[in-house]
Amino acid sequence: MRQLIIVGNWKMHKTVTETLEFLVELKEKLSNTAVEVVVSPPFTALAAAAEVLKGSPIALAAQNMHWKKQGAFTGEISSAMLKELGCKYVILGHSERRQYFSETDDHVNKKVKSALESELIPIVCVGESLEQRETGATEATVEKQINGALAGLSPEQAAGIVIAYEPVWAIGTGKTASDEDAQQVNGYIRKVIACRFGNTVAEAVRIQYGGSVKPANAQGLMAQPDIDGALVGGASLKMHDFVGIIQNVL
Ligand SMILES: O=C[C@H](O)COP(=O)(O)O
């Protein structure tokens, strides 16, 4: 049985002060939940967030990292640095990274390997653009992204990762994939994993859905057999909405 995982990706939102205010309240509201809850503040707030979350079941994720452990890469952060700060997860290959920072599947693959070496759990994002959906290229797109990101991993390594299916046209637009469409793609991703790593690995991997998840649509999405949680953007910045999503899927 796969435990649901709800991750709040704050993107470039919230100062350290705002992060602390939010997490103190979130901790009180979620002292006991069957869902795994993760928050992903900006780099600047990770240390403060780790401190305030000590002893709570809420885990911490970073939003990106470089694949090198150290070096002359101005402005970059390594997996070892994130691990030391107390991160459990790192979001990799988000479509905004692919779109605005030219990340490729090869970059994502290097990051996945580096994260695993530092004992961080990668949350690997995949998803098609509107044009790819409209031209019937959704499955081919996610298959290529999965195969690229997970190249060279052992079955044991693959079994521990999290995948987030995020159709690009649904991110921040208010247009959510229907329960059936999201299930269809998540089920396909599980088949791709099974082909590459075997059925046992495919059954273990958690596959989230992301893209305009709200309290009102979370329950229907999470009830699908191949949807094991959500990667939440905008709604994770508002206490009422984020807690609402978590409570609605319990
Ligand atoms: O990482 C989160 C996703 O990009 C979804 O964002 P959204 O919930 O604002 O659509």
Side-chain angles (χ1 to χ4, degrees):
M1 184 77 179
R2 298 180 294 267
Q3 187 189 24
L4 288 178
I5 174 169
I6 309 271
V7 180
N9 176 13
W10 292 359
K11 309 189 179 183
M12 198 170 70
H13 293 282
K14 294 195 191 293
T15 63
V16 173
T17 308
E18 290 163 346
T19 297
L20 292 177
E21 276 170 15
F22 189 94
L23 291 181
V24 166
E25 193 180 339
L26 187 68
K27 241 176 35 163
E28 279 167 21
K29 291 192 187 304
L30 298 180
S31 55
N32 188 13
T33 164
V35 175
E36 183 173 10
V37 178
V38 183
V39 289
S40 188
F43 285 135
T44 46
L46 285 174
E51 192 58 34
V52 79
L53 292 178
K54 255 185 203 153
S56 99
I58 303 167
L60 198 57
Q63 299 176 19
N64 181 36
M65 48 167 260
H66 197 276
W67 58 84
K68 292 277 191 188
K69 290 289 173 351
Q70 57 185 17
F73 301 102
T74 302
E76 293 291 338
I77 304 279
S78 77
S79 56
M81 294 169 187
L82 297 175
K83 181 69 185 176
E84 188 193 41
L85 277 187
C87 290
K88 179 175 179 187
Y89 294 93
V90 58
I91 299 169
L92 296 175
H94 191 282
S95 65
E96 287 150 16
R97 302 283 327 160
R98 295 177 191 259
Q99 184 180 353
Y100 303 126
F101 303 98
S102 307
E103 277 194 14
T104 64
D105 291 333
D106 183 50
H107 294 146
V108 180
N109 180 242
K110 287 177 177 153
K111 291 180 183 201
V112 166
K113 288 174 176 162
S114 174
L116 291 169
E117 278 165 22
S118 295
E119 297 182 339
L120 288 172
I121 301 172
I123 300 171
V124 177
C125 303
V126 299
E128 82 286 2
S129 65
L130 185 58
E131 190 191 347
Q132 287 165 330
R133 172 154 286 259
E134 286 175 344
T135 55
T138 298
E139 291 186 350
T141 301
V142 298
E143 184 167 354
K144 181 174 167 291
Q145 290 170 330
I146 294 282
N147 282 327
L150 307 189
L153 262 58
S154 68
E156 292 70 29
Q157 287 176 317
I161 66 164
V162 176
I163 292 171
Y165 166 56
E166 295 206 309
V168 177
W169 49 270
I171 296 175
T173 59
K175 291 183 202 159
T176 319
S178 68
D179 298 347
E180 295 73 26
D181 284 347
Q183 162 57 29
Q184 194 269 327
V185 181
N186 276 36
Y188 184 74
I189 290 171
R190 206 176 296 286
K191 279 192 198 134
V192 171
I193 304 273
C195 276
R196 195 174 181 108
F197 298 103
N199 284 334
T200 310
V201 172
E203 283 308 310
V205 166
R206 291 186 288 178
I207 308 174
Q208 299 174 301
Y209 167 80
S212 298
V213 175
K214 304 271 184 287
N217 59 27
Q219 195 174 25
L221 287 161
M222 299 314 117
Q224 303 305 310
D226 288 302
I227 300 183
D228 307 315
L231 183 54
V232 187
S236 72
L237 298 168
K238 298 176 200 139
M239 185 64 62
H240 180 262
D241 286 353
F242 193 48
V243 170
I245 288 169
I246 294 159
Q247 285 172 345
N248 282 359
V249 302
L250 284 174

